Amino acid sequence: YFSFCLISETMFSLIDAIIVYDSPRPAVRRRRRIIPFTGVVLGILTVLLGVATGDRGNGTDAAVPASAAGVSGPPRKTDEDLHFIYVNGLERVPTNGKPFPIDDDFFQGHFLPMFRKDAEPSTDDEEGRKIYQHFQGRKRMFEFQFQGRLKQLPEGNLWLTIEIDMPVKIGRIKRALFQGVLNFLTLTHRGIHYSFGDDLSKKSEDDVRAGNYEKLHMSFALECSLSRLVISGPDDKDIPKLGGDIPESRDSVKLRKAGVAGSFQGWNTESIYTMSIWSEYIDFYSWNFVKLPGIRSFAMSKFFGNQPINVMYYSLRGRGSDINDKRPHLRKDLNVFSHYEIGHAKHTDGGHTQEFMERRGGGVGTGMTGTDAAMSGADDIAGRPNGTCPGVERVGVDAPLGRKHHLFSIPRSS
């Protein structure tokens, strides 16, 4: 991996220098020089490798001194800015507290999103203090834990996806480089699917309404991407508790992620699944990619623009069990079971996060500033001024919500 990074660093730096030098717009040149493109590419590669392998492939989140585990710099804003929205019910999921109950058509159980904090919570916040201690001596910046039973079996594989609503405008050279990085990932890791998203301006209205398109996404076969997975019987007495360690052995993690026969018995509706996924490279409170080898922290807005991030679990209709099937994950084929959105009051605009804030705050906008406000213009969202797509309704993935939305459900604030 590091040999690949060194070779890529040299190649990307040369190409990046050409791109910046040849740019006809001084403002574009200045913005590109703030965070060199090579750093963004290598940073995204590092993050994706962390998700795909889970703690650099060694099956553990190695302990580090508490002083080295956090993020340097000024204190970060925390719960009041970060919004974790359960889209199925447009509810804000509490973080670093008690598990959030889920009882929908697919899953019955609890969900606990946990995020590293700078300071220990007050003594009256017992749950927050437990979670604060859970992160001490570990590298991870966040951890999402689920526990419960499936109410129905997925058709084929169960996928975890990270996607954004509108495609990001990427030049030919950048797209080729990103594609090379992503192809490298799909060759070396099982169960990864990606798309840069379709330009809806080039699709007919019939295709859009029928869901014959993809959004920009990165999807992982769930059993291969989880950091920890413990399967318990309904009568077991030692079921793990959320908010603490989920005890899966290193050997089990390695075999499961490698897809070794017998390492995962498949999904059923009887067992209790306790699942966890984490990363040390994403700090949602500051909305930055952090702790990347040899690269300074930089805003996620450099890659996603000012869009919130969708996290979903889905299966594909009419597909088999081949997790390396490269066919498109079209919206019309998605059977979405759970849909969450991660947004930030200071760094994202639009989506369900803004809808939630406007309902609660009487129409108050998101108030982006600095880099994120600069990234919100038409140059960053492919073919869509201000990120909107008038007249196009959500289809396929949003059918379970029981209501219609534009691709951005709330227009941007003025």
Side-chain angles (χ1 to χ4, degrees), residues 43-201:
I44 296 297
L45 171 61
T46 304
V47 171
L48 294 178
L49 276 172
V51 173
T53 61
D55 308 309
R56 305 181 190 182
N58 64 2
T60 184
D61 186 31
V64 294
S67 60
V71 178
S72 59
R76 304 163 294 150
K77 292 291 184 181
T78 53
D79 304 300
E80 60 271 15
D81 290 332
L82 182 65
H83 285 68
F84 206 111
I85 305 297
Y86 179 51
V87 176
N88 296 56
L90 198 64
E91 298 178 67
R92 186 177 184 182
V93 179
T95 60
N96 290 14
K98 293 184 177 180
F100 177 75
I102 301 173
D103 190 359
D104 53 32
D105 293 338
F106 176 69
F107 185 82
Q108 181 180 32
H110 292 83
F111 169 44
L112 179 60
M114 302 185 292
F115 301 90
R116 177 185 294 278
K117 285 193 171 184
D118 291 328
E120 187 170 7
S122 59
T123 54
D124 59 345
D125 184 3
E126 183 178 350
E127 298 295 332
R129 291 173 70 88
K130 288 180 180 177
I131 292 172
Y132 175 83
Q133 292 298 327
H134 176 71
F135 281 98
Q136 298 309 299
R138 293 185 166 97
K139 299 176 182 178
R140 65 193 76 167
M141 294 301 298
F142 73 88
E143 182 174 353
F144 301 154
Q145 294 185 353
F146 291 84
Q147 186 177 75
R149 294 184 178 91
L150 304 187
K151 289 186 174 182
Q152 57 176 294
L153 293 177
E155 181 180 351
N157 298 298
L158 188 57
W159 294 88
L160 165 67
T161 189
I162 301 169
E163 72 168 30
I164 59 175
D165 280 319
M166 300 301 297
V168 177
K169 191 173 183 180
I170 304 174
R172 290 183 179 180
I173 295 178
K174 289 185 179 182
R175 180 181 289 265
L177 293 174
F178 273 117
Q179 195 158 13
V181 168
L182 293 170
N183 286 340
F184 170 78
L185 278 178
T186 58
L187 287 173
T188 55
H189 298 86
R190 300 175 70 253
I192 297 179
H193 187 278
Y194 73 90
S195 172
F196 291 106
D198 292 321
D199 185 350
L200 298 186
S201 66

Side-chain angles (χ1 to χ4, degrees), residues 248-269:
E248 183 182 15
S249 68
R250 294 188 183 186
D251 289 340
S252 175
V253 173
K254 290 182 178 180
L255 293 174
R256 173 172 54 80
K257 287 179 174 290
V260 175
S263 62
F264 177 69
Q265 301 298 326
W267 305 100
N268 64 70
T269 57

